[in-house]
Short mmCIF file of all heavy atoms in Angstrom, two decimals:
data_model
loop_
_atom_site.label_atom_id
_atom_site.label_comp_id
_atom_site.label_asym_id
_atom_site.label_seq_id
_atom_site.Cartn_x
_atom_site.Cartn_y
_atom_site.Cartn_z
N GLY B 122 -22.74 13.41 -60.12
CA GLY B 122 -23.71 13.38 -61.17
C GLY B 122 -24.45 14.69 -61.37
O GLY B 122 -25.55 14.70 -61.93
N ILE B 123 -23.96 15.77 -60.86
CA ILE B 123 -24.57 17.06 -61.03
C ILE B 123 -23.98 17.71 -62.26
O ILE B 123 -22.78 17.75 -62.43
CB ILE B 123 -24.37 17.93 -59.77
CG1 ILE B 123 -24.99 17.28 -58.57
CG2 ILE B 123 -24.84 19.36 -59.99
CD1 ILE B 123 -24.70 17.93 -57.25
N GLY B 124 -24.86 18.18 -63.14
CA GLY B 124 -24.44 18.66 -64.47
C GLY B 124 -23.53 19.84 -64.46
O GLY B 124 -22.57 19.90 -65.23
N MET B 125 -23.77 20.77 -63.58
CA MET B 125 -22.97 22.02 -63.61
C MET B 125 -22.32 22.21 -62.27
O MET B 125 -22.92 22.06 -61.22
CB MET B 125 -23.85 23.23 -63.93
CG MET B 125 -24.44 23.14 -65.32
SD MET B 125 -25.49 24.56 -65.72
CE MET B 125 -24.26 25.85 -65.80
N PRO B 126 -21.04 22.63 -62.29
CA PRO B 126 -20.31 22.84 -61.01
C PRO B 126 -21.00 23.90 -60.11
O PRO B 126 -20.98 23.77 -58.91
CB PRO B 126 -18.95 23.32 -61.45
CG PRO B 126 -18.75 22.78 -62.81
CD PRO B 126 -20.13 22.74 -63.42
N VAL B 127 -21.57 24.92 -60.72
CA VAL B 127 -22.25 25.96 -59.90
C VAL B 127 -23.44 25.35 -59.15
O VAL B 127 -23.68 25.73 -57.99
CB VAL B 127 -22.64 27.16 -60.75
CG1 VAL B 127 -23.82 26.82 -61.65
CG2 VAL B 127 -22.96 28.36 -59.89
N ASN B 128 -24.15 24.43 -59.71
CA ASN B 128 -25.25 23.76 -59.05
C ASN B 128 -24.75 22.93 -57.89
O ASN B 128 -25.35 22.84 -56.84
CB ASN B 128 -26.06 22.91 -59.99
CG ASN B 128 -26.84 23.69 -60.97
OD1 ASN B 128 -27.07 24.90 -60.77
ND2 ASN B 128 -27.26 23.07 -62.07
N PHE B 129 -23.56 22.37 -58.02
CA PHE B 129 -22.95 21.56 -56.95
C PHE B 129 -22.62 22.53 -55.78
O PHE B 129 -22.84 22.17 -54.63
CB PHE B 129 -21.67 20.89 -57.46
CG PHE B 129 -20.92 20.14 -56.38
CD1 PHE B 129 -21.40 18.95 -55.91
CD2 PHE B 129 -19.74 20.66 -55.88
CE1 PHE B 129 -20.73 18.26 -54.92
CE2 PHE B 129 -19.05 19.96 -54.90
CZ PHE B 129 -19.53 18.79 -54.39
N LEU B 130 -22.15 23.72 -56.10
CA LEU B 130 -21.80 24.71 -55.04
C LEU B 130 -23.07 25.15 -54.31
O LEU B 130 -23.03 25.32 -53.10
CB LEU B 130 -21.05 25.88 -55.64
CG LEU B 130 -19.62 25.62 -56.13
CD1 LEU B 130 -19.03 26.86 -56.77
CD2 LEU B 130 -18.76 25.10 -55.01
N PHE B 131 -24.17 25.35 -55.07
CA PHE B 131 -25.41 25.71 -54.42
C PHE B 131 -25.90 24.61 -53.51
O PHE B 131 -26.43 24.90 -52.41
CB PHE B 131 -26.50 26.05 -55.50
CG PHE B 131 -26.39 27.41 -56.05
CD1 PHE B 131 -26.28 27.58 -57.38
CD2 PHE B 131 -26.38 28.54 -55.22
CE1 PHE B 131 -26.13 28.87 -57.95
CE2 PHE B 131 -26.29 29.82 -55.76
CZ PHE B 131 -26.15 30.00 -57.13
N LEU B 132 -25.77 23.36 -53.95
CA LEU B 132 -26.13 22.23 -53.08
C LEU B 132 -25.29 22.18 -51.81
O LEU B 132 -25.84 22.01 -50.70
CB LEU B 132 -25.97 20.90 -53.85
CG LEU B 132 -26.29 19.64 -53.03
CD1 LEU B 132 -27.74 19.61 -52.61
CD2 LEU B 132 -25.90 18.43 -53.79
N LEU B 133 -24.01 22.41 -51.94
CA LEU B 133 -23.12 22.43 -50.75
C LEU B 133 -23.52 23.55 -49.83
O LEU B 133 -23.56 23.38 -48.59
CB LEU B 133 -21.67 22.58 -51.17
CG LEU B 133 -20.98 21.35 -51.70
CD1 LEU B 133 -19.52 21.71 -52.05
CD2 LEU B 133 -21.03 20.19 -50.74
N GLY B 134 -23.80 24.70 -50.39
CA GLY B 134 -24.22 25.87 -49.55
C GLY B 134 -25.52 25.57 -48.82
O GLY B 134 -25.66 25.89 -47.62
N PHE B 135 -26.46 24.99 -49.48
CA PHE B 135 -27.76 24.66 -48.86
C PHE B 135 -27.55 23.64 -47.76
O PHE B 135 -28.11 23.79 -46.64
CB PHE B 135 -28.72 24.08 -49.94
CG PHE B 135 -30.02 23.65 -49.38
CD1 PHE B 135 -30.98 24.59 -48.96
CD2 PHE B 135 -30.35 22.29 -49.26
CE1 PHE B 135 -32.19 24.19 -48.43
CE2 PHE B 135 -31.53 21.91 -48.72
CZ PHE B 135 -32.47 22.83 -48.32
N CYS B 136 -26.74 22.58 -48.01
CA CYS B 136 -26.49 21.56 -46.94
C CYS B 136 -25.75 22.20 -45.77
O CYS B 136 -26.07 21.88 -44.61
CB CYS B 136 -25.66 20.45 -47.58
SG CYS B 136 -26.62 19.45 -48.74
N PHE B 137 -24.82 23.08 -46.05
CA PHE B 137 -24.13 23.77 -44.94
C PHE B 137 -25.11 24.57 -44.11
O PHE B 137 -25.06 24.50 -42.88
CB PHE B 137 -23.04 24.67 -45.53
CG PHE B 137 -22.43 25.57 -44.49
CD1 PHE B 137 -21.52 25.02 -43.57
CD2 PHE B 137 -22.76 26.92 -44.43
CE1 PHE B 137 -20.96 25.88 -42.58
CE2 PHE B 137 -22.20 27.72 -43.47
CZ PHE B 137 -21.30 27.19 -42.53
N LEU B 138 -26.00 25.31 -44.73
CA LEU B 138 -26.93 26.08 -43.96
C LEU B 138 -27.89 25.20 -43.14
O LEU B 138 -28.23 25.58 -42.01
CB LEU B 138 -27.75 27.03 -44.90
CG LEU B 138 -26.94 28.18 -45.51
CD1 LEU B 138 -27.80 28.93 -46.48
CD2 LEU B 138 -26.38 29.08 -44.44
N LEU B 139 -28.24 24.04 -43.65
CA LEU B 139 -29.02 23.15 -42.88
C LEU B 139 -28.30 22.65 -41.64
O LEU B 139 -28.87 22.60 -40.57
CB LEU B 139 -29.47 21.94 -43.74
CG LEU B 139 -30.59 22.19 -44.73
CD1 LEU B 139 -30.85 20.89 -45.55
CD2 LEU B 139 -31.86 22.56 -44.02
N VAL B 140 -27.03 22.28 -41.81
CA VAL B 140 -26.22 21.78 -40.71
C VAL B 140 -26.05 22.90 -39.65
O VAL B 140 -26.19 22.64 -38.46
CB VAL B 140 -24.86 21.29 -41.21
CG1 VAL B 140 -23.94 21.01 -40.04
CG2 VAL B 140 -25.06 20.02 -42.03
N VAL B 141 -25.75 24.13 -40.10
CA VAL B 141 -25.61 25.21 -39.12
C VAL B 141 -26.92 25.50 -38.43
O VAL B 141 -26.93 25.71 -37.19
CB VAL B 141 -25.06 26.49 -39.85
CG1 VAL B 141 -25.18 27.71 -38.96
CG2 VAL B 141 -23.64 26.28 -40.29
N SER B 142 -27.97 25.49 -39.14
CA SER B 142 -29.28 25.71 -38.52
C SER B 142 -29.62 24.66 -37.49
O SER B 142 -30.12 24.97 -36.38
CB SER B 142 -30.41 25.76 -39.61
OG SER B 142 -31.68 25.93 -39.06
N PHE B 143 -29.31 23.41 -37.82
CA PHE B 143 -29.56 22.32 -36.83
C PHE B 143 -28.68 22.51 -35.62
O PHE B 143 -29.14 22.34 -34.46
CB PHE B 143 -29.31 20.96 -37.50
CG PHE B 143 -29.53 19.81 -36.58
CD1 PHE B 143 -30.85 19.42 -36.19
CD2 PHE B 143 -28.46 19.14 -36.05
CE1 PHE B 143 -31.02 18.38 -35.34
CE2 PHE B 143 -28.65 18.07 -35.14
CZ PHE B 143 -29.94 17.70 -34.80
N GLY B 144 -27.41 22.85 -35.84
CA GLY B 144 -26.49 23.04 -34.68
C GLY B 144 -26.96 24.17 -33.83
O GLY B 144 -26.86 24.06 -32.58
N MET B 145 -27.42 25.27 -34.41
CA MET B 145 -27.88 26.40 -33.62
C MET B 145 -29.19 26.04 -32.87
O MET B 145 -29.40 26.46 -31.72
CB MET B 145 -28.15 27.61 -34.51
CG MET B 145 -26.92 28.24 -35.07
SD MET B 145 -25.86 28.87 -33.79
CE MET B 145 -24.29 28.20 -34.30
N THR B 146 -30.03 25.21 -33.48
CA THR B 146 -31.23 24.77 -32.78
C THR B 146 -30.91 23.92 -31.55
O THR B 146 -31.49 24.05 -30.49
CB THR B 146 -32.12 23.95 -33.76
OG1 THR B 146 -32.46 24.79 -34.89
CG2 THR B 146 -33.41 23.51 -33.10
N VAL B 147 -29.93 23.05 -31.73
CA VAL B 147 -29.47 22.21 -30.59
C VAL B 147 -28.88 23.08 -29.49
O VAL B 147 -29.25 22.93 -28.32
CB VAL B 147 -28.46 21.14 -31.04
CG1 VAL B 147 -27.80 20.47 -29.84
CG2 VAL B 147 -29.13 20.14 -31.96
N ALA B 148 -28.03 24.04 -29.85
CA ALA B 148 -27.44 24.97 -28.85
C ALA B 148 -28.53 25.81 -28.16
O ALA B 148 -28.47 25.98 -26.93
CB ALA B 148 -26.40 25.86 -29.53
N LEU B 149 -29.49 26.24 -28.93
CA LEU B 149 -30.58 27.03 -28.34
C LEU B 149 -31.40 26.22 -27.38
O LEU B 149 -31.77 26.70 -26.29
CB LEU B 149 -31.46 27.61 -29.45
CG LEU B 149 -32.64 28.49 -29.00
CD1 LEU B 149 -32.12 29.75 -28.36
CD2 LEU B 149 -33.50 28.86 -30.20
N SER B 150 -31.67 24.98 -27.73
CA SER B 150 -32.42 24.10 -26.85
C SER B 150 -31.67 23.84 -25.53
O SER B 150 -32.29 23.89 -24.44
CB SER B 150 -32.68 22.78 -27.59
OG SER B 150 -33.36 21.86 -26.73
N LYS B 151 -30.38 23.60 -25.62
CA LYS B 151 -29.57 23.44 -24.41
C LYS B 151 -29.58 24.68 -23.53
O LYS B 151 -29.70 24.60 -22.32
CB LYS B 151 -28.11 23.04 -24.77
CG LYS B 151 -27.96 21.63 -25.27
CD LYS B 151 -26.50 21.34 -25.59
CE LYS B 151 -26.30 19.99 -26.19
NZ LYS B 151 -24.91 19.73 -26.52
N MET B 152 -29.43 25.81 -24.16
CA MET B 152 -29.40 27.06 -23.37
C MET B 152 -30.74 27.33 -22.75
O MET B 152 -30.83 27.81 -21.62
CB MET B 152 -29.01 28.23 -24.25
CG MET B 152 -27.58 28.30 -24.56
SD MET B 152 -27.21 29.88 -25.29
CE MET B 152 -25.48 29.72 -25.49
N ASN B 153 -31.81 27.04 -23.49
CA ASN B 153 -33.15 27.19 -22.92
C ASN B 153 -33.37 26.33 -21.66
O ASN B 153 -33.88 26.81 -20.66
CB ASN B 153 -34.21 26.82 -23.98
CG ASN B 153 -35.56 27.25 -23.60
OD1 ASN B 153 -35.78 28.06 -22.71
ND2 ASN B 153 -36.59 26.72 -24.29
N GLU B 154 -32.86 25.11 -21.67
CA GLU B 154 -32.94 24.23 -20.52
C GLU B 154 -32.09 24.75 -19.39
O GLU B 154 -32.51 24.71 -18.22
CB GLU B 154 -32.47 22.84 -20.92
CG GLU B 154 -32.87 21.76 -19.95
CD GLU B 154 -34.37 21.63 -19.70
OE1 GLU B 154 -35.15 21.82 -20.69
OE2 GLU B 154 -34.75 21.39 -18.59
N ARG B 155 -30.90 25.30 -19.68
CA ARG B 155 -30.04 25.84 -18.63
C ARG B 155 -30.69 27.06 -18.00
O ARG B 155 -30.62 27.27 -16.77
CB ARG B 155 -28.69 26.25 -19.21
CG ARG B 155 -27.84 25.07 -19.62
CD ARG B 155 -26.69 25.54 -20.43
NE ARG B 155 -25.42 25.23 -19.77
CZ ARG B 155 -24.25 25.59 -20.22
NH1 ARG B 155 -24.20 26.31 -21.34
NH2 ARG B 155 -23.19 25.29 -19.62
N VAL B 156 -31.30 27.92 -18.79
CA VAL B 156 -31.97 29.13 -18.24
C VAL B 156 -33.14 28.71 -17.32
O VAL B 156 -33.30 29.27 -16.24
CB VAL B 156 -32.47 30.05 -19.39
CG1 VAL B 156 -33.44 31.07 -18.85
CG2 VAL B 156 -31.29 30.71 -20.09
N LYS B 157 -33.86 27.68 -17.76
CA LYS B 157 -34.96 27.19 -16.91
C LYS B 157 -34.45 26.66 -15.59
O LYS B 157 -34.99 26.99 -14.54
CB LYS B 157 -35.70 26.10 -17.67
CG LYS B 157 -36.92 25.53 -16.94
CD LYS B 157 -37.63 24.51 -17.81
CE LYS B 157 -37.72 23.21 -17.08
NZ LYS B 157 -38.31 22.14 -17.89
N THR B 158 -33.37 25.89 -15.62
CA THR B 158 -32.74 25.33 -14.38
C THR B 158 -32.24 26.42 -13.49
O THR B 158 -32.51 26.44 -12.30
CB THR B 158 -31.63 24.34 -14.75
OG1 THR B 158 -32.19 23.32 -15.58
CG2 THR B 158 -31.04 23.75 -13.51
N LEU B 159 -31.56 27.38 -14.08
CA LEU B 159 -31.01 28.51 -13.29
C LEU B 159 -32.15 29.33 -12.68
O LEU B 159 -32.04 29.80 -11.51
CB LEU B 159 -30.11 29.40 -14.14
CG LEU B 159 -28.74 28.79 -14.48
CD1 LEU B 159 -28.04 29.70 -15.52
CD2 LEU B 159 -27.90 28.67 -13.22
N THR B 160 -33.22 29.58 -13.41
CA THR B 160 -34.33 30.34 -12.89
C THR B 160 -34.98 29.58 -11.68
O THR B 160 -35.29 30.23 -10.65
CB THR B 160 -35.39 30.55 -14.00
OG1 THR B 160 -34.75 31.21 -15.09
CG2 THR B 160 -36.55 31.36 -13.51
N GLN B 161 -35.10 28.28 -11.81
CA GLN B 161 -35.66 27.53 -10.69
C GLN B 161 -34.77 27.54 -9.48
O GLN B 161 -35.19 27.70 -8.36
CB GLN B 161 -35.91 26.06 -11.18
CG GLN B 161 -37.03 25.93 -12.16
CD GLN B 161 -37.10 24.53 -12.79
OE1 GLN B 161 -36.16 23.76 -12.72
NE2 GLN B 161 -38.23 24.25 -13.45
N GLU B 162 -33.45 27.39 -9.71
CA GLU B 162 -32.50 27.44 -8.62
C GLU B 162 -32.49 28.80 -7.93
O GLU B 162 -32.44 28.93 -6.72
CB GLU B 162 -31.08 27.11 -9.08
CG GLU B 162 -30.91 25.63 -9.45
CD GLU B 162 -29.57 25.32 -10.02
OE1 GLU B 162 -28.72 26.24 -10.18
OE2 GLU B 162 -29.31 24.13 -10.35
#
């Protein structure tokens, strides 16, 4: 239901960046926890 194909591509690009950003946040959180554990050990 999107009027113009270019707007559809912009929507896909925006959604992709959100997914990548979320994935990187999760990876960063895991690494932060690992660094904390290693520092304590």
Side-chain angles (χ1 to χ4, degrees):
I123 297 173
M125 296 180 68
V127 71
N128 290 342
F129 177 74
L130 292 176
F131 281 123
L132 176 65
L133 283 181
F135 176 73
C136 291
F137 171 75
L138 290 176
L139 283 177
V140 169
V141 168
S142 178
F143 180 74
M145 291 296 133
T146 303
V147 169
L149 181 65
S150 178
K151 286 180 183 178
M152 284 192 179
N153 193 15
E154 196 60 37
R155 289 168 118 184
V156 167
K157 182 176 124 185
T158 301
L159 286 171
T160 304
Q161 291 170 345
E162 289 175 359

